Amino acid sequence: FTPDDLRAVRKGMIEAKLSRTTINGYQTGIVQMFGWGVGRQLVPADVCDRLKHVGLLQKGKTSAPERKK
């Protein structure tokens, strides 16, 4: 699983019209899941490190909608 794979998953969430904060939460969970795998020696540590460098979606810089209040 590469940073490009994570971006592709995120793109699918944007296309599904999930809110930016929801997408960011899911992305954080995905990265944490790989961290769990590293801790159990199921995933190489560099995979998790690379995924951590995929930035979260920033307000006003994405087509993902903002959460309605």
Side-chain angles (χ1 to χ4, degrees), residues 26-43:
Y26 287 154
Q27 178 176 332
T28 299
I30 291 167
V31 173
Q32 288 176 341
M33 176 189 69
F34 278 94
W36 177 89
V38 169
R40 278 136 190 95
Q41 298 181 343
L42 300 171
V43 179

Side-chain angles (χ1 to χ4, degrees), residues 10-64:
R10 188 172 66 183
K11 182 179 178 189
M13 289 189 267
I14 292 170
E15 290 170 355
K17 305 290 186 206
L18 296 178
S19 75
R20 179 186 63 82
T21 53
T22 297
I23 294 169
N24 284 344
Y26 287 154
Q27 178 176 332
T28 299
I30 291 167
V31 173
Q32 288 176 341
M33 176 189 69
F34 278 94
W36 177 89
V38 169
R40 278 136 190 95
Q41 298 181 343
L42 300 171
V43 179
D46 67 309
V47 172
C48 187
D49 291 338
R50 287 181 296 188
L51 295 178
K52 288 179 181 178
H53 287 86
V54 176
L56 296 175
L57 298 175
Q58 300 299 310
K59 186 174 184 176
K61 295 185 178 184
T62 178
S63 61

